[in-house]
Amino acid sequence: MELASYADRAVSLVNTADPYRHRDTLTTCEQAKELLAPEGRCRVTNADVAELRAIRDRLREVFDAAESGRVPRAVQVLNSLMKQYPIRPVVTDHDGASWHLHLAEGAPTIAAVYGAKAAMGLAVQATELGFDRLGVCQAAPCREVFIDTSTNRSRRYHSDRCATRANVAAYRARRKEQARVAGEAEAAANAANAPGTATAAGAKVMAGAGSAAPGR
Ligand SMILES: [Zn+2]
Ligand SMILES: [Zn+2]
């Protein structure tokens, strides 16, 4: 397993919360178990849920800081996470299993194991690809995070669904603008063709523009 692939754990954890739409899918032990499935069979307590949520907030800050160009802040939070949740690799064959690697041996909780792998994976990706590859979805109000692994650094949305939604919204906005411009042109043409009403129509447009101006 590539070390960078552990960054998926950071993305999965951060995306269990959507504070901007008041959605949170990490509030119960059952939900935590689902998230922790890659760690194998494990006992999950309420304390693990609380710890994972705390790690989640800090990982979110890493993405938000990177997204807004505050890389030193992203690095600071990431380093503090790695200090608290260190990688401690051990090769083991416990319980009759074949030799395999434990990355966070001796971590006090399963949440800590998850946190150690998530933070390390994110650090590997951020340093190999660049911090500008840590993204926050641009399809408002979605704020889910992603790691842009595209070759041309063009990814803006966390999912295909959000990309489609954003494209449809942009298309509608363009259509609306086209209709508005066409309507204005038509009104102007009508006014030009009927000199007697030109003043009234002109006054109407002026009034409309005036009331739409901000701060008045
Ligand atoms: Zn094991
Ligand atoms: Zn999204």
Side-chain angles (χ1 to χ4, degrees):
M1 193 169 185
E2 252 193 275
L3 290 182
S5 67
Y6 286 102
D8 293 347
R9 280 176 171 72
V11 171
S12 301
L13 177 54
V14 173
N15 287 345
T16 59
D18 188 350
Y20 308 90
R21 285 182 291 190
H22 306 290
R23 185 179 59 83
D24 189 336
T25 53
L26 183 60
T27 58
T28 66
C29 290
E30 274 312 304
Q31 290 171 326
K33 243 182 204 164
E34 217 170 284
L35 182 77
L36 293 166
E39 308 308 335
R41 261 154 49 93
C42 53
R43 220 169 55 84
V44 178
T45 65
N46 283 324
D48 288 312
V49 177
E51 189 168 14
L52 285 170
R53 290 166 62 90
I55 296 169
R56 178 176 71 183
D57 289 347
R58 290 158 74 187
L59 287 172
R60 157 65 73 180
E61 196 178 353
V62 175
F63 278 92
D64 280 349
E67 166 75 15
S68 57
R70 291 174 293 128
V71 174
R73 177 61 186 161
V75 170
Q76 189 182 36
V77 178
L78 195 49
N79 276 341
S80 80
L81 270 170
M82 288 191 292
K83 191 170 182 190
Q84 185 175 351
Y85 299 106
I87 289 297
R88 207 175 290 122
V90 164
V91 174
T92 168
D93 64 347
H94 65 91
D95 300 324
S98 58
W99 292 114
H100 62 285
L101 188 63
H102 282 185
L103 280 177
E105 187 70 9
T109 63
I110 189 67
V113 171
Y114 189 97
K117 293 177 182 176
M120 182 236 17
L122 190 57
V124 169
Q125 283 286 46
T127 49
E128 282 185 0
L129 299 173
F131 273 86
D132 58 336
R133 296 300 194 107
L134 308 191
V136 178
C137 187
Q138 298 299 304
C142 180
R143 297 280 296 161
E144 297 214 4
V145 301
F146 59 87
I147 296 169
D148 182 2
T149 53
S150 65
T151 47
N152 57 352
R153 299 172 177 259
S154 60
R155 189 166 165 190
R156 298 178 60 209
Y157 309 108
H158 94 276
S159 68
D160 288 344
R161 224 173 116 230
C162 274
T164 304
R165 196 159 56 77
N167 286 337
V168 168
Y171 172 76
R172 288 206 181 120
R174 272 199 309 276
R175 284 291 296 267
K176 209 172 155 189
E177 177 62 14
Q178 281 166 0
R180 192 185 66 76
V181 170
E184 273 181 6
E186 195 184 345
N190 286 345
N193 289 340
T197 60
T199 314
K204 211 169 170 186
V205 169
M206 293 293 283
S211 64
R216 291 192 198 168

